[in-house]
Amino acid sequence: MKLPFDKKEYLSRLKQVKESMDRSGIRVLIVNHPANMNYLTGYDGWSFYVPQGVIVFIDKDEPVWYGREQDSNGARLTTWLSEKNIYGYQDDYVQSLVKHPISFAVEIINEIEPKPYKIGVEMDSYYFNPRSYNLLQEEVVNAEVVDATRLVPLVRQIKSDTELEYMKDAARIVEKVMDKAMENIKPGIREGDAAAEVYRAQIKGTDEFTGDYPAIAPIMPSGKRTSTAHLTWADREYEQGDVVLLELAGCRYKYHAPLSRTVYIGEPPEDLVEISKVVIAGVEKVLDFIEPGKTCEEVEAYWREAISGSKVVKESRVGYSYGLNYPPDWGEQTASLRPGDKTVLKPNMTFHFMPGIWLDDYGFENSEPIYITEDGCECFVDFPRKLFTI
Amino acid sequence: MKLPFDKKEYLSRLKQVKESMDRSGIRVLIVNHPANMNYLTGYDGWSFYVPQGVIVFIDKDEPVWYGREQDSNGARLTTWLSEKNIYGYQDDYVQSLVKHPISFAVEIINEIEPKPYKIGVEMDSYYFNPRSYNLLQEEVVNAEVVDATRLVPLVRQIKSDTELEYMKDAARIVEKVMDKAMENIKPGIREGDAAAEVYRAQIKGTDEFTGDYPAIAPIMPSGKRTSTAHLTWADREYEQGDVVLLELAGCRYKYHAPLSRTVYIGEPPEDLVEISKVVIAGVEKVLDFIEPGKTCEEVEAYWREAISGSKVVKESRVGYSYGLNYPPDWGEQTASLRPGDKTVLKPNMTFHFMPGIWLDDYGFENSEPIYITEDGCECFVDFPRKLFTI
């Protein structure tokens, strides 16, 4: 099966990961996060509900994939790895109180790497848990376990041209998705019916390519439920006077284009109109400001200055790096646009600039997914910035 | 906002959880798994990509919810908890190398529970990770940290009548979803276009209620990709001679009805026809066999006997308990139908009986979601059992 990237690109990622391992003195790296597994090997399947991983040995040409035996054909079909580097564990390892898949991985490691060394694991991730951690500590021979949660994600931050192409494809999808959402939000329509059309558009994609499942379900609360950040749809019909927040994505080969917009059903109240103007003017100023060499915290500080004097208060971060990912998050969980983050912007980094405002009674969102260019930044998505009314 | 269950039901769940804590000598329980959080408090939101949890104190009437401040209005809207038990952490805790949300939770716990005690955590889950575990061990005062991964899920195993009602609602949805999939699988149609219709049907639900996002994306590989268990759709069109595996779900208030069926495009080969007959006859025998008092391993042994003498070999477990859940799994990760599992079947337990066969070149699946009754079991779903051809 054809993979989304040339083998050369996977090898170049692996090389960068090994360089980073080398700088940290890590000889063996276990990655359990499905986005990191995909990034290094191509592996793609909804098998991450059982423990699985990719093991990078600094001295070996190819990583090892390990996972459930019934998923090993998935590794044969979706990765560039040779047969000898695909290890499937039997089903009695699955959700057992007696056996654990990490022990299966440790056996492979103990055989290959007998000298004293550091082994990196993802300590602050969803897909490596304390039971695995304790067993690894007990069973691995001669190794010191160290945190490498951000090792692969930091390499992922800078996109290749092909990755940017897929993110642009995802942007074409989200434009259609957002249109479809706006078309379907009307008084008397069930929120779930609008959500159904959103999902359909996400996967249907364009005439040239279909879409992939995004890492986050459509966030599209209405009314009072817009006072908080992460609610989906509810068992209700839209009503006159509803604010509807839309945080939706397009996705291609697990590369995302997230986008937020806000809709008001009816004549919007004065203060919401004012907030929307302040936020959108602020977004546009910040987009002009962003360029390589500036830091994440400088961008956030500039945003705060851009909206100062207004009633808009935004106390959370205003964006984060993003790209390739799996549920539950499309963010890379590395750089954030917020105070204290000194990450320096570089060409081909990608951010979701997302200044969401959630007040006591409702919210307002207007985001832009962007990539850093040689001398500024570009928006992935072409969609009007305004408070939409229906 | 009206919650899906009466407060009485949440209180009865809490009581059962406290009884189980008491039996294990656990005075404080941190649940981070979103299904466990929802089960105890109603909390529902796509905020599980940041650390959050519900803390049960054995001596306190109400649990505590903690999470990101921007999600705390979500807790106000979707739980039965009083204002004083909702704790939001500031945004500088999010994805930070310096601060961690578990420290915020530990501060709450240290204040409330100063005596020596055992604290239960989910050691083998997605939503509690080694970094949190190490920080908890360091910062909690007077507590011994013990594994309680299965404490709440074991209470969740036995459904209330209202829970069964929602699972029946989900079954109505999956019947429509499966119909829609079959209608859209045709030579020349892009797999993503069929997947788009599946998603739409999942959320659109019925005239009476819309659906929720299932915990697993539509698993619907075709052709060679059916030789493995967990692939979704690919960038290709269906062709004459494709096997298509469908493992799809309906979902209502996060309660699931999963269902697997197999489709062949064209005249199916003899051996696939034979496999389908053996598997379906085996499924029907097993459904007649299941009743309260039997164990999970007895069910699996009976299945193996039912298909013995045929060419069908099934080496993985043939089912698991399931119900309320969030991505990445609709299974409860407690009981499995497999050798060694001595769980005794009881009325109102719910299983996905799922004897999937994945051979080198293709697979066959025909599952049934069931609930145990007083004297046998019932299928949730009404859908023909056969090898479908198109």
Side-chain angles (χ1 to χ4, degrees), chain A residues 29-247:
Chain A
L29 175 70
I30 308 181
V31 306
N32 297 114
H33 195 300
N36 294 339
M37 291 174 67
N38 176 315
Y39 187 71
L40 289 172
T41 69
Y43 183 69
D44 180 40
W46 194 289
S47 52
F48 41 79
Y49 72 91
V50 294
Q52 57 177 18
V54 162
I55 311 171
V56 181
F57 296 90
I58 204 156
D59 288 337
K60 278 188 58 155
D61 287 346
E62 279 189 22
V64 158
W65 179 95
Y66 74 94
R68 196 172 174 185
E69 176 59 27
Q70 66 173 240
D71 295 315
S72 60
N73 276 342
R76 289 180 186 98
L77 290 165
T78 66
T79 76
W80 56 270
L81 303 180
S82 346
E83 180 60 33
K84 69 174 193 297
N85 288 316
I86 294 173
Y87 291 75
Y89 57 77
Q90 293 304 309
D91 234 54
D92 56 349
Y93 280 95
V94 175
Q95 294 161 22
S96 158
L97 296 173
V98 189
K99 296 175 92 166
H100 197 284
I102 194 72
S103 305
F104 179 86
V106 172
E107 271 181 46
I108 302 168
I109 295 168
N110 281 343
E111 192 145 316
I112 296 177
E113 191 66 72
K115 297 185 297 292
Y117 63 104
K118 277 193 203 164
I119 181 166
V121 294
E122 294 158 340
M123 294 290 285
D124 201 16
S125 166
Y126 314 104
Y127 294 94
F128 180 63
N129 66 37
R131 185 172 169 214
S132 305
Y133 172 65
N134 285 346
L135 285 170
L136 174 66
Q137 298 256 37
E138 270 169 42
E139 295 171 7
V140 75
V141 174
N142 275 334
E144 178 196 351
V145 180
V146 299
D147 187 13
T149 307
R150 295 190 181 201
L151 197 152
V152 182
L154 286 174
V155 176
R156 279 164 47 206
Q157 269 186 346
I158 306 226
K159 273 62 179 182
S160 72
D161 291 342
T162 313
E163 288 181 291
L164 287 184
E165 284 311 312
Y166 292 144
M167 293 174 81
K168 287 174 190 171
D169 288 347
R172 297 298 77 74
I173 296 176
V174 80
E175 290 159 3
K176 285 171 173 280
V177 168
M178 195 57 85
D179 276 337
K180 196 53 82 173
M182 306 260 180
E183 271 172 39
N184 282 278
I185 293 170
K186 280 182 205 136
I189 295 293
R190 300 184 302 179
E191 293 191 19
D193 287 331
E197 301 305 331
V198 164
Y199 267 108
R200 180 172 184 270
Q202 285 178 322
I203 310 302
K204 205 166 172 53
T206 73
D207 290 345
E208 289 77 43
F209 45 82
T210 54
D212 238 321
Y213 54 84
I216 303 183
I219 305 291
M220 41 190 299
S222 67
K224 182 79 181 166
R225 286 166 58 92
T226 62
S227 64
T228 187
H230 297 107
L231 299 186
T232 52
W233 55 97
D235 232 355
R236 73 186 282 274
E237 293 175 0
Y238 294 110
E239 287 171 19
Q240 205 69 25
D242 278 350
V243 182
V244 187
L245 294 186
L246 297 168
E247 185 174 1

Side-chain angles (χ1 to χ4, degrees), chain B residues 33 46 85 125 198-199 221 252 259 287 303 324 326 329 350:
Chain B
H33 195 298
W46 195 289
N85 288 317
S125 166
V198 163
Y199 268 109
R252 165 94 160 134
L259 189 71
L287 292 174
W303 155 260
L324 168 71
Y326 285 83
D329 193 8
T350 50

Side-chain angles (χ1 to χ4, degrees), chain B residues 365-376:
Chain B
E365 297 178 353
N366 188 105
S367 77
E368 289 296 339
I370 59 168
Y371 58 101
I372 313 297
T373 60
E374 292 301 326
D375 57 359

Side-chain angles (χ1 to χ4, degrees), chain B residues 51-204:
Chain B
Q52 55 176 17
V54 162
I55 310 170
V56 180
F57 295 90
I58 203 156
D59 289 338
K60 278 189 60 156
D61 288 345
E62 278 188 24
V64 158
W65 178 94
Y66 73 93
R68 195 172 174 185
E69 176 60 27
Q70 67 173 241
D71 295 314
S72 60
N73 276 341
R76 290 180 185 97
L77 289 165
T78 66
T79 76
W80 56 272
L81 303 180
S82 346
E83 179 61 32
K84 68 173 194 299
N85 288 317
I86 294 172
Y87 291 75
Y89 58 77
Q90 293 303 309
D91 234 53
D92 56 350
Y93 279 94
V94 176
Q95 295 160 21
S96 159
L97 295 174
V98 190
K99 295 174 91 166
H100 197 283
I102 193 72
S103 305
F104 179 85
V106 172
E107 270 181 46
I108 302 169
I109 294 168
N110 282 342
E111 191 145 315
I112 296 178
E113 192 65 71
K115 297 185 298 291
Y117 64 102
K118 277 191 203 165
I119 182 166
V121 294
E122 294 158 340
M123 294 289 285
D124 201 16
S125 166
Y126 314 104
Y127 294 95
F128 180 64
N129 65 37
R131 185 173 168 211
S132 305
Y133 172 67
N134 285 346
L135 286 169
L136 173 67
Q137 298 256 37
E138 270 171 41
E139 295 171 8
V140 75
V141 174
N142 275 333
E144 178 196 349
V145 180
V146 298
D147 186 13
T149 307
R150 294 191 181 200
L151 198 152
V152 182
L154 285 174
V155 175
R156 277 164 48 205
Q157 268 186 347
I158 306 227
K159 273 64 179 180
S160 72
D161 291 343
T162 312
E163 288 181 290
L164 287 184
E165 284 311 312
Y166 292 144
M167 292 174 82
K168 288 174 190 170
D169 289 348
R172 298 296 78 75
I173 296 176
V174 80
E175 290 158 2
K176 284 170 174 282
V177 168
M178 195 57 82
D179 275 338
K180 195 53 84 174
M182 307 258 180
E183 270 172 39
N184 282 278
I185 293 171
K186 278 181 209 141
I189 296 292
R190 299 184 303 180
E191 293 191 18
D193 287 331
E197 300 305 330
V198 163
Y199 268 109
R200 181 173 184 268
Q202 285 177 321
I203 309 304
K204 205 166 172 57

